[in-house]
Amino acid sequence: MRTVKEISDLTGISVRTLHYYDEIGLLKPTAKSEAGYRLYDDKALETLQQILFFREFDISLKEIKAVMENPALERNQILKMQRKMLTAKKERMERLIASIDDILKGENKMDFAVFSKTEVEEMFRTMLAHMPENMKNTAIKEFGSIEQWKEHYMKVVSSEKMQKSYAKVVEWYGGKDRFLSVSQNPVSKEVAESYNRRLGAILQKLIAKQGCAVDSFEVKEIVGEYGFVMKQLSQVKEETGLMLAQAQYYRNEKVKPMIDEKYGDGASDFFAQAIESFYGPA
Protein backbone atom coordinates (compact mmCIF):
# COMPACT_ATOMS: atom_id res chain seq x y z
CA MET A 1 0.00 0.00 0.00
CA ARG A 2 1.16 3.53 -0.75
CA THR A 3 0.22 6.78 0.94
CA VAL A 4 -1.09 9.86 -0.87
CA LYS A 5 2.35 11.45 -0.51
CA GLU A 6 4.05 8.41 -2.06
CA ILE A 7 1.56 8.35 -4.95
CA SER A 8 2.13 12.07 -5.46
CA ASP A 9 5.91 11.65 -5.55
CA LEU A 10 5.62 8.69 -7.92
CA THR A 11 3.24 10.29 -10.44
CA GLY A 12 3.81 14.02 -10.05
CA ILE A 13 0.11 14.52 -9.24
CA SER A 14 -0.43 16.87 -6.32
CA VAL A 15 -1.82 15.62 -3.03
CA ARG A 16 -4.69 18.10 -3.33
CA THR A 17 -5.62 16.68 -6.75
CA LEU A 18 -5.66 13.13 -5.36
CA HIS A 19 -7.89 14.31 -2.51
CA TYR A 20 -10.21 15.91 -5.07
CA TYR A 21 -10.35 12.72 -7.16
CA ASP A 22 -11.46 10.94 -3.98
CA GLU A 23 -14.10 13.59 -3.22
CA ILE A 24 -15.74 13.28 -6.66
CA GLY A 25 -15.53 9.48 -6.66
CA LEU A 26 -13.09 9.28 -9.57
CA LEU A 27 -10.29 7.55 -7.65
CA LYS A 28 -11.19 6.22 -4.21
CA PRO A 29 -8.40 5.02 -1.90
CA THR A 30 -8.15 1.28 -1.45
CA ALA A 31 -8.23 1.64 2.32
CA LYS A 32 -7.48 4.04 5.15
CA SER A 33 -4.96 3.68 7.94
CA GLU A 34 -5.94 3.70 11.60
CA ALA A 35 -5.01 7.37 11.63
CA GLY A 36 -7.39 8.02 8.69
CA TYR A 37 -4.75 8.43 5.96
CA ARG A 38 -5.63 7.35 2.43
CA LEU A 39 -3.84 4.21 1.14
CA TYR A 40 -3.62 2.98 -2.46
CA ASP A 41 -2.74 -0.46 -3.87
CA ASP A 42 -1.35 -1.34 -7.33
CA LYS A 43 -4.84 -1.60 -8.84
CA ALA A 44 -5.63 1.95 -7.73
CA LEU A 45 -2.32 3.10 -9.22
CA GLU A 46 -3.28 1.48 -12.52
CA THR A 47 -6.64 3.26 -12.42
CA LEU A 48 -4.83 6.56 -11.84
CA GLN A 49 -2.64 5.84 -14.85
CA GLN A 50 -5.73 5.37 -17.03
CA ILE A 51 -7.14 8.67 -15.72
CA LEU A 52 -3.90 10.43 -16.63
CA PHE A 53 -4.02 8.94 -20.14
CA PHE A 54 -7.46 10.50 -20.66
CA ARG A 55 -6.34 13.82 -19.14
CA GLU A 56 -3.63 13.94 -21.80
CA PHE A 57 -6.46 14.75 -24.25
CA ASP A 58 -8.10 17.39 -22.03
CA ILE A 59 -11.11 15.15 -21.45
CA SER A 60 -13.20 16.42 -18.56
CA LEU A 61 -13.15 14.58 -15.23
CA LYS A 62 -16.92 14.06 -15.55
CA GLU A 63 -16.47 12.30 -18.91
CA ILE A 64 -13.55 10.23 -17.60
CA LYS A 65 -15.64 9.12 -14.63
CA ALA A 66 -18.49 8.08 -16.96
CA VAL A 67 -16.10 5.97 -19.08
CA MET A 68 -14.38 4.38 -16.08
CA GLU A 69 -17.73 3.46 -14.51
CA ASN A 70 -19.28 2.10 -17.72
CA PRO A 71 -20.03 -1.57 -16.98
CA ALA A 72 -19.85 -2.37 -20.71
CA LEU A 73 -16.18 -1.41 -20.80
CA GLU A 74 -13.54 -3.57 -19.19
CA ARG A 75 -9.86 -2.82 -18.62
CA ASN A 76 -8.52 -3.99 -21.99
CA GLN A 77 -11.23 -2.13 -23.92
CA ILE A 78 -10.36 1.11 -22.14
CA LEU A 79 -6.65 0.56 -22.79
CA LYS A 80 -7.34 -0.13 -26.51
CA MET A 81 -9.40 3.07 -26.67
CA GLN A 82 -6.57 5.03 -25.07
CA ARG A 83 -3.98 3.43 -27.33
CA LYS A 84 -5.96 4.47 -30.40
CA MET A 85 -6.21 8.05 -29.09
CA LEU A 86 -2.50 8.17 -28.31
CA THR A 87 -1.59 6.74 -31.72
CA ALA A 88 -3.67 9.42 -33.45
CA LYS A 89 -2.01 12.11 -31.33
CA LYS A 90 1.45 10.66 -32.08
CA GLU A 91 0.76 10.74 -35.82
CA ARG A 92 -0.45 14.33 -35.55
CA MET A 93 2.69 15.32 -33.63
CA GLU A 94 4.88 13.59 -36.22
CA ARG A 95 3.19 15.56 -39.00
CA LEU A 96 3.69 18.82 -37.12
CA ILE A 97 7.37 18.01 -36.52
CA ALA A 98 7.77 17.18 -40.21
CA SER A 99 6.14 20.51 -41.10
CA ILE A 100 8.56 22.38 -38.82
CA ASP A 101 11.48 20.49 -40.40
CA ASP A 102 10.23 21.54 -43.85
CA ILE A 103 10.01 25.18 -42.74
CA LEU A 104 13.56 25.01 -41.34
CA LYS A 105 14.69 23.65 -44.71
CA GLY A 106 12.97 26.53 -46.47
CA GLU A 107 10.10 24.34 -47.68
CA ASN A 108 7.13 26.02 -46.03
CA LYS A 109 4.43 23.37 -46.48
CA MET A 110 1.27 23.86 -44.44
CA ASP A 111 -0.30 20.79 -42.82
CA PHE A 112 -4.03 20.86 -43.52
CA ALA A 113 -4.70 17.34 -42.25
CA VAL A 114 -7.78 17.02 -40.03
CA PHE A 115 -7.73 13.25 -39.60
CA SER A 116 -4.74 11.03 -38.94
CA LYS A 117 -4.02 7.84 -40.90
CA THR A 118 -5.44 5.78 -38.03
CA GLU A 119 -8.67 7.80 -38.02
CA VAL A 120 -9.06 7.56 -41.81
CA GLU A 121 -8.62 3.77 -41.59
CA GLU A 122 -11.29 3.67 -38.87
CA MET A 123 -13.62 5.74 -41.09
CA PHE A 124 -13.14 3.22 -43.91
CA ARG A 125 -13.90 0.29 -41.60
CA THR A 126 -17.04 2.02 -40.34
CA MET A 127 -18.20 2.78 -43.88
CA LEU A 128 -17.59 -0.84 -44.87
CA ALA A 129 -19.50 -2.17 -41.85
CA HIS A 130 -22.62 -0.09 -42.57
CA MET A 131 -22.66 -0.22 -46.38
CA PRO A 132 -25.41 -2.31 -48.06
CA GLU A 133 -24.07 -5.54 -49.55
CA ASN A 134 -24.99 -4.64 -53.13
CA MET A 135 -23.06 -1.34 -52.94
CA LYS A 136 -20.14 -3.07 -51.24
CA ASN A 137 -19.96 -5.76 -53.93
CA THR A 138 -20.13 -3.12 -56.68
CA ALA A 139 -17.21 -1.21 -55.13
CA ILE A 140 -15.12 -4.37 -54.70
CA LYS A 141 -15.77 -5.28 -58.32
CA GLU A 142 -14.75 -1.79 -59.45
CA PHE A 143 -11.50 -1.68 -57.45
CA GLY A 144 -10.59 -5.37 -57.66
CA SER A 145 -10.42 -6.04 -53.93
CA ILE A 146 -11.20 -4.51 -50.55
CA GLU A 147 -7.50 -3.70 -50.04
CA GLN A 148 -7.28 -1.82 -53.35
CA TRP A 149 -10.53 -0.03 -52.54
CA LYS A 150 -9.12 0.93 -49.11
CA GLU A 151 -5.89 2.19 -50.70
CA HIS A 152 -7.89 4.43 -53.06
CA TYR A 153 -10.08 5.66 -50.19
CA MET A 154 -7.06 6.47 -48.03
CA LYS A 155 -5.44 8.41 -50.87
CA VAL A 156 -8.57 10.46 -51.65
CA VAL A 157 -9.58 11.21 -48.05
CA SER A 158 -6.01 12.07 -47.04
CA SER A 159 -5.62 14.59 -49.89
CA GLU A 160 -5.29 18.26 -48.97
CA LYS A 161 -8.52 19.13 -50.83
CA MET A 162 -10.58 16.54 -48.96
CA GLN A 163 -9.02 17.41 -45.60
CA LYS A 164 -9.98 21.07 -46.12
CA SER A 165 -13.55 19.97 -46.90
CA TYR A 166 -13.61 17.82 -43.77
CA ALA A 167 -12.42 20.80 -41.71
CA LYS A 168 -15.67 22.58 -42.60
CA VAL A 169 -17.79 19.52 -41.84
CA VAL A 170 -16.10 19.04 -38.46
CA GLU A 171 -17.13 22.59 -37.55
CA TRP A 172 -20.78 21.65 -38.14
CA TYR A 173 -20.46 18.87 -35.57
CA GLY A 174 -18.73 21.03 -32.99
CA GLY A 175 -15.46 19.10 -33.11
CA LYS A 176 -13.63 16.13 -34.59
CA ASP A 177 -14.47 13.73 -31.75
CA ARG A 178 -18.22 14.28 -32.18
CA PHE A 179 -17.94 13.89 -35.96
CA LEU A 180 -16.10 10.58 -35.57
CA SER A 181 -18.59 9.41 -32.95
CA VAL A 182 -21.56 10.14 -35.24
CA SER A 183 -19.75 8.54 -38.20
CA GLN A 184 -19.12 5.37 -36.21
CA ASN A 185 -22.72 5.21 -34.92
CA PRO A 186 -24.96 6.15 -37.86
CA VAL A 187 -28.74 6.03 -37.65
CA SER A 188 -30.37 2.79 -38.74
CA LYS A 189 -31.62 2.24 -42.27
CA GLU A 190 -35.22 2.42 -41.05
CA VAL A 191 -34.67 5.72 -39.24
CA ALA A 192 -32.84 7.21 -42.23
CA GLU A 193 -35.69 6.20 -44.55
CA SER A 194 -38.20 7.80 -42.17
CA TYR A 195 -36.27 11.07 -42.14
CA ASN A 196 -35.90 11.03 -45.94
CA ARG A 197 -39.66 10.60 -46.37
CA ARG A 198 -40.19 13.57 -44.07
CA LEU A 199 -37.67 15.64 -46.04
CA GLY A 200 -39.47 14.74 -49.27
CA ALA A 201 -42.76 15.95 -47.79
CA ILE A 202 -41.10 19.20 -46.65
CA LEU A 203 -39.74 19.88 -50.15
CA GLN A 204 -43.21 19.30 -51.58
CA LYS A 205 -44.60 21.89 -49.15
CA LEU A 206 -41.77 24.26 -50.04
CA ILE A 207 -42.25 24.02 -53.81
CA ALA A 208 -45.95 24.76 -53.30
CA LYS A 209 -44.82 28.21 -52.05
CA GLN A 210 -42.70 28.91 -55.14
CA GLY A 211 -44.84 31.92 -55.95
CA CYS A 212 -44.07 33.52 -52.57
CA ALA A 213 -41.07 35.70 -51.75
CA VAL A 214 -38.20 33.68 -50.28
CA ASP A 215 -38.13 35.98 -47.22
CA SER A 216 -41.87 35.56 -46.55
CA PHE A 217 -43.07 33.95 -43.33
CA GLU A 218 -44.65 31.03 -45.22
CA VAL A 219 -41.36 30.10 -46.89
CA LYS A 220 -39.16 30.72 -43.83
CA GLU A 221 -41.40 28.51 -41.69
CA ILE A 222 -40.91 25.56 -44.05
CA VAL A 223 -37.16 26.15 -44.45
CA GLY A 224 -36.86 26.24 -40.66
CA GLU A 225 -38.56 22.83 -40.50
CA TYR A 226 -36.22 21.59 -43.27
CA GLY A 227 -33.17 22.68 -41.27
CA PHE A 228 -34.50 21.11 -38.06
CA VAL A 229 -35.00 17.71 -39.71
CA MET A 230 -31.59 17.88 -41.45
CA LYS A 231 -29.98 18.63 -38.08
CA GLN A 232 -31.67 15.61 -36.50
CA LEU A 233 -30.77 13.29 -39.36
CA SER A 234 -27.12 14.35 -39.60
CA GLN A 235 -26.74 14.89 -35.81
CA VAL A 236 -24.78 18.11 -36.34
CA LYS A 237 -24.45 20.56 -33.45
CA GLU A 238 -25.51 23.56 -35.55
CA GLU A 239 -27.10 23.25 -38.99
CA THR A 240 -26.28 26.61 -40.65
CA GLY A 241 -23.15 25.39 -42.47
CA LEU A 242 -24.87 22.16 -43.49
CA MET A 243 -27.89 24.00 -44.91
CA LEU A 244 -25.77 26.52 -46.83
CA ALA A 245 -23.87 23.56 -48.30
CA GLN A 246 -27.25 22.10 -49.24
CA ALA A 247 -28.08 25.34 -51.04
CA GLN A 248 -24.86 24.99 -53.03
CA TYR A 249 -25.88 21.43 -53.84
CA TYR A 250 -29.10 22.75 -55.41
CA ARG A 251 -27.02 25.20 -57.48
CA ASN A 252 -24.80 22.42 -58.86
CA GLU A 253 -25.25 22.32 -62.66
CA LYS A 254 -25.35 18.50 -62.65
CA VAL A 255 -27.96 18.39 -59.88
CA LYS A 256 -30.31 21.16 -61.09
CA PRO A 257 -31.85 19.16 -63.99
CA MET A 258 -32.75 16.27 -61.65
CA ILE A 259 -34.31 18.58 -59.05
CA ASP A 260 -36.23 20.57 -61.66
CA GLU A 261 -37.50 17.38 -63.28
CA LYS A 262 -38.79 16.10 -59.94
CA TYR A 263 -40.23 19.32 -58.48
CA GLY A 264 -40.80 21.53 -61.55
CA ASP A 265 -38.93 24.20 -63.50
CA GLY A 266 -36.93 26.58 -61.32
CA ALA A 267 -37.27 24.38 -58.22
CA SER A 268 -33.53 24.04 -57.65
CA ASP A 269 -32.93 27.81 -57.77
CA PHE A 270 -35.95 28.44 -55.53
CA PHE A 271 -34.76 25.92 -52.91
CA ALA A 272 -31.27 27.44 -52.93
CA GLN A 273 -32.56 31.01 -52.62
CA ALA A 274 -34.99 30.09 -49.84
CA ILE A 275 -32.26 28.37 -47.80
CA GLU A 276 -29.78 31.22 -48.32
CA SER A 277 -32.40 33.78 -47.33
CA PHE A 278 -33.06 31.92 -44.08
CA TYR A 279 -29.49 30.91 -43.16
CA GLY A 280 -27.40 33.55 -44.93
CA PRO A 281 -26.02 36.75 -43.36
CA ALA A 282 -28.69 39.12 -42.08
Side-chain angles (χ1 to χ4, degrees):
M1 291 281 197
R2 294 180 175 88
T3 65
V4 170
K5 180 66 168 59
E6 289 172 331
I7 293 291
S8 177
D9 291 341
L10 185 64
T11 63
I13 303 299
S14 71
V15 171
R16 179 67 194 95
T17 297
L18 291 168
H19 286 178
Y20 181 63
Y21 286 177
D22 180 13
E23 290 168 15
I24 64 173
L26 181 60
L27 179 67
K28 303 295 289 183
T30 308
K32 288 190 177 181
S33 68
E34 292 183 2
Y37 294 114
R38 296 171 175 85
L39 299 173
Y40 299 83
D41 62 9
D42 289 343
K43 186 176 180 180
L45 189 59
E46 182 180 298
T47 300
L48 176 58
Q49 188 177 42
Q50 291 179 334
I51 293 169
L52 297 180
F53 282 148
F54 281 123
R55 290 297 288 158
E56 183 71 23
F57 299 91
D58 296 322
I59 297 174
S60 71
L61 296 178
K62 182 179 179 181
E63 291 174 310
I64 294 173
K65 189 171 185 288
V67 171
M68 302 292 283
E69 293 179 349
N70 187 340
L73 293 175
E74 48 94 24
R75 172 181 173 275
N76 283 354
Q77 287 177 298
I78 292 175
L79 286 172
K80 286 178 181 178
M81 180 194 308
Q82 292 172 327
R83 189 183 191 284
K84 185 182 294 184
M85 293 167 70
L86 287 167
T87 298
K89 183 174 182 178
K90 172 176 172 284
E91 291 176 354
R92 175 61 177 166
M93 290 300 102
E94 287 175 345
R95 289 201 307 272
L96 290 174
I97 291 169
S99 294
I100 291 173
D101 288 342
D102 287 337
I103 293 171
L104 291 172
K105 294 175 186 175
E107 302 171 6
N108 193 355
K109 298 176 182 177
M110 295 297 291
D111 181 9
F112 294 98
V114 176
F115 298 112
S116 68
K117 180 182 177 182
T118 300
E119 289 166 338
V120 174
E121 288 178 336
E122 183 64 30
M123 289 162 65
F124 179 81
R125 283 193 292 270
T126 300
M127 178 188 71
L128 198 63
H130 293 92
M131 181 177 285
E133 283 300 317
N134 61 328
M135 292 179 64
K136 189 186 302 183
N137 292 333
T138 299
I140 293 172
K141 185 177 180 180
E142 179 182 348
F143 290 101
S145 69
I146 288 181
E147 280 306 312
Q148 288 176 301
W149 177 16
K150 178 183 176 182
E151 184 179 341
H152 174 78
Y153 178 91
M154 296 286 293
K155 183 178 179 180
V156 171
V157 174
S158 299
S159 69
E160 182 177 312
K161 182 179 179 180
M162 280 298 294
Q163 289 289 324
K164 285 181 177 179
S165 298
Y166 272 121
K168 294 180 181 178
V169 175
V170 164
E171 286 183 13
W172 304 345
Y173 285 86
K176 186 172 75 171
D177 290 341
R178 176 169 170 75
F179 171 80
L180 290 172
S181 175
V182 171
S183 299
Q184 291 164 10
N185 300 281
V187 297
S188 67
K189 179 183 176 183
E190 292 73 21
V191 171
E193 288 175 348
S194 176
Y195 274 119
N196 284 323
R197 285 195 296 271
R198 188 174 172 186
L199 288 171
I202 290 171
L203 289 176
Q204 291 290 355
K205 285 197 298 183
L206 185 56
I207 198 61
K209 302 295 181 181
Q210 192 173 10
C212 302
V214 292
D215 60 352
S216 65
F217 174 78
E218 297 95 325
V219 172
K220 284 184 176 293
E221 184 178 31
I222 299 171
V223 174
E225 182 185 3
Y226 187 4
F228 176 75
V229 175
M230 286 288 282
K231 180 178 181 179
Q232 288 184 310
L233 173 59
S234 59
Q235 302 178 60
V236 294
K237 188 175 182 180
E238 209 286 320
E239 80 276 13
T240 298
L242 173 64
M243 292 303 292
L244 289 174
Q246 188 70 9
Q248 288 302 308
Y249 167 79
Y250 288 129
R251 293 192 182 282
N252 186 295
E253 292 302 321
K254 293 182 179 179
V255 173
K256 288 175 71 172
M258 295 185 292
I259 299 299
D260 289 353
E261 182 179 355
K262 184 173 183 178
Y263 295 99
D265 290 343
S268 55
D269 285 333
F270 176 67
F271 291 160
Q273 291 167 10
I275 293 170
E276 288 167 348
S277 175
F278 189 94
Y279 285 102

